[in-house]
């Protein structure tokens, strides 16, 4: 892989052990614009939020373990990294507006990536094709600014009966079907997921000192793909929450796309940037000589990332008065991981401010899983409380 591939989501699947609730299957899914992250008691997974129509060949060579194929009554799609590698940079069927619109909930793409996420959550379950043997509770999240307006759409689209087939790597096609009522679907503010992830260990126990995260003053900084979200907690109450547009990884992609066009004259749409990040270079055609030449993009990407990071820092210091009233700054998300060093250095002179990481209780877990891990632990804790009260 290239040095630039850390700036894009890749397909992965890992078995693990986590806190659970007897008789209940808690599934946590973070359906982001750049990637879908999944977390449950026996596995975790992620994959790029992309699906493109495809056809299965009778002989298609060596299958990659990260290949995901999905099919239903409408046809077949390549999903995740397989879709990123298979997409054409010059394909006009997809665009920023269709892939990154807030109104994406009724699209085939949103339905497909949600269903694939659920299938991966159920992969280790007995009778997974029938939704497993345990009743499902689904926990997901939304940016704070969209929680009230979009929650109804989320419940409408994710609930109901789902039937489809999935093929992962070299495994055979597998039928999956499950049904969710709106009461089985829980929605929370995305940054709150990382707060719970930073506060609880893998056994869903509050870590020493974590009570102060809730009782003092803490700001969650979650620069995602489309928005940079903040969530301020003071003395066990939500003080404020914001979602700033154009301050996430999408802004980095847009700036990189613009620079590539200015320097090389090559038009790389924002939704196609992950494909060149995987290779670490952009291929440029000289039409006069009918020759192509590849140019590395690592330095350009670094410049773009640093520029958007500076904008995030300036926004935070402006809105939150240089963090002088906060005891903790919790940095989370994939972009947060990329910008961790710069943000820590910038605010290092603020006395009494402690920098936390969303994945601090599971060092082997990439930051992109911080929100979804918190979703999962929050719902496990809630289900345990309900069981004790019955």
């Amino acid at each position: 892989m290239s040095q630039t591939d850390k700036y894009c989501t890749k397909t992965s699947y890992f078995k693990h052990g986590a806190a659970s609730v007897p008789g209940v299957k808690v599934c946590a899914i973070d359906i982001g614009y750049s990637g879908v992250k999944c977390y449950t008691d026996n596995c975790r997974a992620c994959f790029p939020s992309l699906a493109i129509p495809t056809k299965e060949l009778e002989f298609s060579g060596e299958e990659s373990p990260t290949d995901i194929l999905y099919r239903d009554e409408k046809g077949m799609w390549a999903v995740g990294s397989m879709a990123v590698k298979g997409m054409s940079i010059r394909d006009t069927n997809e665009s920023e507006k269709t892939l990154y619109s807030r109104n994406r909930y009724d699209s085939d793409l949103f339905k497909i990536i949600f269903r694939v996420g659920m299938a991966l959550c159920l992969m280790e379950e007995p009778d997974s094709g029938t939704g497993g043997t345990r009743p499902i509770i689904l926990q997901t999240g939304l940016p704070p600014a969209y929680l009230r307006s979009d929650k109804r759409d989320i419940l409408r689209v994710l609930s109901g009966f789902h039937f489809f087939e999935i093929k992962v790597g070299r495994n055979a096609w597998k039928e999956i079907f499950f049904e969710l009522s709106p009461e089985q679907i829980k929605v929370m503010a995305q940054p709150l997921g990382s707060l719970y992830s930073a506060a609880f260990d893998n056994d869903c126990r509050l870590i020493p000192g974590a009570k102060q995260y809730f009782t003092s003053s803490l700001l969650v900084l979650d620069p995602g793909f489309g928005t940079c979200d903040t969530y301020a907690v003071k003395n066990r109450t939500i003080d404020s929450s914001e979602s700033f547009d154009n301050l996430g990884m999408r802004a980095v992609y847009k700036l990189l796309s613009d620079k590539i066009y200015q320097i090389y004259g090559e038009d790389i749409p924002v939704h196609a940037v992950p494909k060149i990040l995987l290779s670490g270079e952009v291929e440029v055609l000289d039409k006069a000589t009918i020759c192509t030449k590849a140019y590395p993009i690592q330095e350009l990407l670094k410049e773009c990332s640093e520029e958007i990071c500076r904008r995030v820092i300036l926004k935070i210091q402006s809105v939150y008065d240089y963090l002088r009233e906060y005891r903790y700054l919790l940095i989370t998300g994939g972009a947060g991981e990329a910008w961790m060093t710069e943000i820590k250095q910038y605010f290092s002179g603020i006395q009494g401010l402690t920098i936390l990481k969303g994945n601090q209780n599971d060092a082997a877990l990439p930051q992109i899983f911080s929100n979804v891990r918190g979703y999962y632990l929050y719902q496990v804790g809630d289900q345990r409380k309900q069981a004790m009260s019955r």
Side-chain angles (χ1 to χ4, degrees):
M1 286 293 182
S2 69
Q3 291 296 311
T4 60
D5 73 311
K6 64 181 180 181
Y7 284 86
C8 59
T9 304
K10 296 174 286 298
T11 300
S12 66
Y13 179 87
F14 296 97
K15 296 179 183 180
H16 69 196
S20 61
V21 183
V24 178
K25 175 68 173 181
V26 177
C27 298
I29 300 184
D30 182 359
I31 313 173
Y33 287 101
S34 63
V36 178
K37 284 76 67 177
C38 316
Y39 199 99
T40 187
D41 56 344
N42 47 25
C43 65
R44 66 179 184 269
C46 70
F47 56 92
S49 299
L50 184 65
I52 58 173
T54 189
K55 294 181 180 179
E56 188 177 22
L57 299 177
E58 290 184 9
F59 177 76
S60 55
E62 189 75 14
E63 294 171 307
S64 167
T66 61
D67 286 352
I68 299 176
L69 289 171
Y70 164 99
R71 73 184 173 198
D72 60 18
E73 71 281 358
K74 290 186 176 181
M76 183 164 67
W77 284 262
V79 181
S81 295
M82 188 179 187
V84 172
K85 294 174 184 176
M87 75 182 302
S88 169
I89 289 176
R90 290 157 190 87
D91 186 358
T92 58
N93 290 328
E94 299 292 357
S95 68
E96 278 192 83
K97 290 183 178 179
T98 57
L99 290 173
Y100 307 140
S101 169
R102 273 188 58 198
N103 300 316
R104 61 179 180 151
Y105 303 119
D106 289 304
S107 68
D108 286 336
L109 171 65
F110 189 80
K111 178 181 69 175
I112 290 167
I113 61 178
F114 162 67
R115 286 178 169 181
V116 169
M118 282 296 299
L120 295 177
C121 281
L122 297 171
M123 198 66 69
E124 303 301 321
E125 291 297 292
D127 301 322
S128 61
T130 58
T133 57
R134 295 180 285 173
I136 297 169
I137 297 293
L138 171 63
Q139 178 69 62
T140 189
L142 286 167
Y146 306 157
L147 186 58
R148 184 173 179 178
S149 58
D150 291 11
K151 182 177 179 179
R152 184 177 298 177
D153 287 330
I154 282 284
L155 295 178
R156 174 179 56 81
V157 172
L158 301 190
S159 62
F161 183 73
H162 299 268
F163 175 73
F164 57 97
E165 293 178 278
I166 186 172
K167 186 179 187 305
V168 180
R170 301 172 188 173
N171 297 317
W173 282 97
K174 186 172 186 177
E175 286 189 349
I176 302 286
F177 58 90
F178 59 89
E179 189 167 12
L180 293 171
S181 68
E183 292 73 29
Q184 289 174 274
I185 304 170
K186 314 298 179 181
V187 188
M188 66 193 300
Q190 284 178 346
L192 188 57
S194 281
L195 177 53
Y196 276 90
S197 187
F200 288 87
D201 65 18
N202 285 332
D203 293 320
C204 204
R205 296 175 300 194
L206 198 66
I207 65 171
K211 285 185 179 180
Q212 296 181 41
Y213 300 169
F214 300 90
T215 59
S216 60
S217 54
L218 178 145
L219 180 69
V220 180
L221 174 61
D222 181 12
F225 184 76
T227 61
C228 178
D229 300 328
T230 59
Y231 202 88
V233 176
K234 289 185 178 180
N235 193 24
R236 295 184 298 176
T237 62
I238 301 169
D239 184 60
S240 67
S241 60
E242 302 285 349
S243 294
F244 303 110
D245 293 330
N246 302 317
L247 286 178
M249 195 53 66
R250 180 182 176 185
V252 176
Y253 286 10
K254 180 65 168 63
L255 195 55
L256 177 62
S257 174
D258 291 344
K259 284 182 177 289
I260 288 173
Y261 184 76
Q262 291 166 9
I263 297 171
Y264 302 112
E266 196 71 27
D267 186 12
I268 308 294
V270 171
H271 68 272
V273 166
K275 183 166 185 175
I276 64 171
L277 293 181
L278 289 176
S279 66
E281 55 191 25
V282 59
E283 189 176 89
V284 179
L285 170 66
D286 185 337
K287 294 182 179 179
T289 60
I290 318 299
C291 292
T292 58
K293 184 175 181 180
Y295 294 90
I297 58 172
Q298 184 174 346
E299 287 304 312
L300 278 181
L301 175 62
K302 183 173 180 290
E303 292 174 12
C304 297
S305 180
E306 289 175 348
E307 171 61 27
I308 303 303
C309 179
R310 281 192 294 269
R311 295 181 192 177
V312 169
I313 289 172
L314 292 175
K315 176 65 74 173
I316 295 305
Q317 76 172 28
S318 172
V319 175
Y320 295 100
D321 190 23
Y322 294 84
L323 301 176
R324 291 187 298 172
E325 295 184 4
Y326 291 90
R327 182 172 179 183
Y328 299 100
L329 173 64
L330 171 57
I331 304 173
T332 188
E337 188 166 38
W339 299 336
M340 177 70 68
T341 300
E342 288 81 357
I343 297 172
K344 286 180 69 173
Q345 288 177 348
Y346 192 87
F347 292 109
S348 61
I350 304 298
Q351 294 186 9
L353 180 68
T354 300
I355 307 292
L356 306 173
K357 297 177 67 175
N359 64 342
Q360 65 182 17
N361 294 318
D362 191 341
L365 193 71
Q367 275 275 48
I368 60 169
F369 284 100
S370 294
N371 277 342
V372 76
R373 178 180 179 272
Y375 294 171
Y376 178 78
L377 293 174
Y378 172 83
Q379 192 52 233
V380 166
D382 193 54
Q383 290 297 314
R384 286 179 175 179
K385 289 178 184 176
Q386 292 183 38
M388 290 176 63
S389 64
R390 288 196 288 264

